[in-house]
Amino acid sequence: MRTVLISGGGIAGNTLAWWLARHGFRPTVVERAAGQRSSGAPVDVRGPAVPVVEAMGLLERLRAAATSVTGARLVDAGGATVARFPMGGDRPAGRTELEIPRADLAAILHRATADDVEFRYDDTITGLTEDAGGVDVTFARGEPRRFDLVVGADGLHSAVRRLAFGPEARYVRHLGVWVAGMSLRGPADDPHDVLLYNTPGRLASVHPARGDAMAAFIFRGPMVDGLDHRDLARHKRLVVEAYQDERGWRVPELLDRVRAADDLYFDSVSQVHLPRWSRGRIVLVGDAASCVSLFGEGSSLAIAGAHTLAEALAAGGYGAAFRRYETVHRRRTEPKRRAARYVAGLLVPRTRIGLATRNATARVFARVRPAAPAR
């Protein structure tokens, strides 16, 4: 049980490959993209992910790559500040929370892994045939190969999950919200604050990232039947249609950027609900198994889950290992899943009353600072 194929060269896939190689496995990572993926907004490394990256010797590199964001500002249609509240950084009681552009996080994990792991880019799994001794795998481009185990670390739209468990529609639940993001290819006016502008059911924001600002749109809307998650032209139309009557703040300018973008990220804010995360010699990790939403936590949970899976496999047979991993990691993901709709309500209130209530609460929070911990 030494050869492991990991589908997906992102955060979960690279973390898992690093730990498996450390335990004497021979991981191979197959990634649909032609190289390391470069898009995506800043993500958090916190909670159970911190001791994992520290054990990998990566914490200082991640600190160096972290954004300089210290707060978030709610703004009105004219750009005036409604409320500002602190966010991120190292907390007083020694609690580490880092915000890092997703591309930088994936690249740091990849550089730590590359010398010990085989990577196959510009390819994807097309077939899985399992028997008592292993899994025969076919690829879109490469020659068929046989592996002892196969791991789907390939995100919300996992090919491994579809091949091993069935169509995506059975397991992926739309939360009634869509998210889009893109690079603004230049610095933000404010390098330390995320700017958030709301109207009922819609949010537009600018994040300073690390000198290459990101714009994001989060808006409410029903599921779109038959939407291809790689259809860039359709994604642009959906964003523009959702905001086309909005003239406040920077929205018209940002929509012009959407029309011209060649790197727009767009997806449903969704959760994955599976009764089990493994089937035979095939197992899922990260968003493929347990996407709780696209409102955060995913990267930290992916790192923690990948480490838990690797440690379980190192301790014994794959069947017991898969069960042990799932038991431990479900305890982390379930509370986040339950909180997703609450977070959506805070970020994108549905009504003007809801928006006014959220803003009033934010102003109170901004005035009341938590007491410093006793020494």
Side-chain angles (χ1 to χ4, degrees), residues 176-214:
V177 179
W178 297 89
V179 60
M182 62 184 178
S183 169
L184 294 179
R185 303 192 185 283
D189 293 336
D190 186 331
H192 301 297
D193 279 1
V194 182
L195 304 182
L196 308 169
Y197 171 67
N198 281 95
T199 54
R202 297 180 295 196
L203 167 72
S205 72
V206 171
H207 192 298
R210 292 186 66 238
D212 189 9
M214 301 285 300

Side-chain angles (χ1 to χ4, degrees), residues 2-187:
R2 296 288 94 183
T3 60
V4 182
L5 176 64
I6 302 169
S7 176
I11 293 166
N14 277 300
T15 304
L16 178 62
W18 192 95
W19 284 99
L20 287 179
R22 183 174 184 269
H23 288 303
F25 290 83
R26 299 197 304 276
T28 298
V29 177
V30 59
E31 166 59 46
R32 177 187 291 274
Q36 275 292 293
R37 290 175 285 186
S38 60
S39 62
V43 296
D44 292 331
V45 177
R46 59 186 177 185
V50 174
V52 177
V53 296
E54 188 169 21
M56 295 170 74
L58 301 179
L59 188 55
E60 290 311 309
R61 273 181 267 180
L62 295 179
R63 288 187 197 277
T67 73
S68 59
V69 168
T70 58
R73 279 195 285 138
L74 303 177
V75 299
D76 64 17
T81 299
V82 174
R84 183 188 186 277
F85 45 92
M87 59 183 288
D90 286 352
R91 299 306 172 94
R95 178 182 173 186
T96 299
E97 293 191 3
L98 302 175
E99 184 189 59
I100 304 168
R102 187 191 183 284
D104 291 348
L105 175 57
I108 290 169
L109 291 168
H110 174 71
R111 284 196 294 270
T113 306
D115 291 343
D116 301 312
V117 174
E118 175 190 1
F119 282 83
R120 298 178 56 170
Y121 291 108
D122 196 22
D123 208 350
T124 188
I125 297 170
T126 58
L128 299 168
T129 304
E130 181 181 352
D131 58 35
V135 185
D136 292 314
V137 183
T138 57
F139 301 91
R141 293 179 178 271
E143 294 296 317
R145 286 176 61 178
R146 184 171 176 83
F147 296 88
D148 294 320
L149 303 172
V150 174
V151 181
D154 42 357
L156 178 62
H157 304 291
S158 169
V160 171
R161 188 185 61 228
R162 174 175 51 79
L163 292 168
F165 294 85
E168 183 174 301
R170 292 184 189 173
Y171 309 112
V172 177
R173 300 181 187 175
H174 177 56
L175 297 185
V177 179
W178 297 89
V179 60
M182 62 184 178
S183 169
L184 294 179
R185 303 192 185 283

